[in-house]
Amino acid sequence: MNKNRYSTSITASWEANAGNWIATIDHGEIESRNLVTNAAIVQSITAAAPTSIVDIGCGEGWLTRSLQAAGITAFGVDAIPALISNAIAKGGPGYAVATFGELATGIYKLRETPTAAVINFALLDETDSNQLLHSMPQLLQPGGMVFIQTLHPFAMAQQGDYITGWKDGSWNGMKRDFVQPYQWYFRTLADWTKLFTSAGLVIREMIEPLHPQTQLPASVIFVLSC
């Protein structure tokens, strides 16, 4: 399977599961999000107080709406039309369909240049993620900030395979009948750092939100600047 097919598989899975994902978020069915990660990413962004932000891979738009409620001008984009349609139905016109590649290459242009970007559990492909991060200095205002929340590499280390590369994904643990699991691209902490450096991004802070019951990291949040 080549890189393009990996990306296509990821998109196809999210298209097939858009309805399940919307229902899952609407009903608060992911414990780690409810207990830890949703609040963690909102707090990280609001503490930095950007005036405007683009939520890339926004899904059904919950984070965009949360940031708008905090007084930040927020706009959401996602590659899946069904998710954007739902986001617009819930929060108005502040959303658009756009892929990582369309943003990175300028095929899709933001109406205004924001001071920050957030990518919350959405860096799943290798090539698309690299391209998007390398485009951040052009997408954002000078000195713009980038907030990335993703699976903590420690979670993969616990499974005995701490090696950068493609991993088998699953929808295990979800309450609904998700279909078409896809492979996703995992990076070690060292390789995240190398990627950020190559993209011209500076790590300002790394946050490791802990699950209140297990006291293990539920995610990692990178706070970066261009």
Side-chain angles (χ1 to χ4, degrees), residues 12-198:
S13 179
W14 280 96
E15 288 175 341
N17 290 294
N20 283 328
W21 182 254
I22 290 165
T24 294
I25 297 301
D26 286 352
H27 292 87
E29 294 174 355
I30 303 177
E31 181 191 53
S32 60
R33 287 181 173 245
N34 298 335
L35 294 178
V36 191
T37 63
N38 282 4
I41 191 63
V42 172
Q43 290 168 4
S44 297
I45 296 168
T46 55
T51 56
S52 57
I53 192 165
V54 56
D55 181 5
I56 302 174
C58 69
E60 55 71 69
W62 77 268
L63 178 54
T64 307
R65 293 189 296 277
S66 295
L67 297 174
Q68 290 170 344
I72 300 170
T73 300
F75 184 79
V77 296
D78 199 282
I80 309 303
L83 294 177
I84 290 298
S85 293
N86 186 263
I88 291 171
K90 289 172 177 171
Y95 301 91
V97 177
T99 67
F100 283 9
E102 288 168 343
L103 279 171
T105 60
I107 292 174
Y108 177 83
K109 296 185 182 297
L110 297 170
R111 288 176 288 186
E112 297 182 4
T113 304
T115 61
V118 57
I119 313 166
N120 190 49
F121 292 111
L123 293 176
L124 302 173
D125 184 58
E126 179 187 13
T127 304
D128 285 353
S129 297
N130 289 351
Q131 187 180 32
L132 178 66
L133 293 181
H134 278 80
S135 74
M136 283 298 158
Q138 290 73 50
L139 285 174
L140 304 178
Q141 293 184 23
M145 301 190 71
V146 182
F147 302 85
I148 296 170
Q149 182 166 218
T150 190
L151 176 74
H152 198 293
F154 178 76
M156 187 59 67
Q158 287 182 298
Q159 299 176 26
D161 181 5
Y162 192 67
I163 301 170
T164 293
W166 290 98
K167 308 298 181 183
D168 290 331
S170 78
W171 294 106
N172 292 343
M174 306 299 277
K175 294 184 178 180
R176 299 176 188 272
D177 189 20
F178 281 76
V179 297
Q180 293 183 227
Y182 54 84
Q183 290 187 300
W184 59 283
Y185 197 78
F186 167 79
R187 291 177 177 83
T188 63
L189 278 176
D191 283 336
W192 275 118
T193 301
K194 290 177 184 177
L195 174 57
F196 298 148
T197 300
S198 71

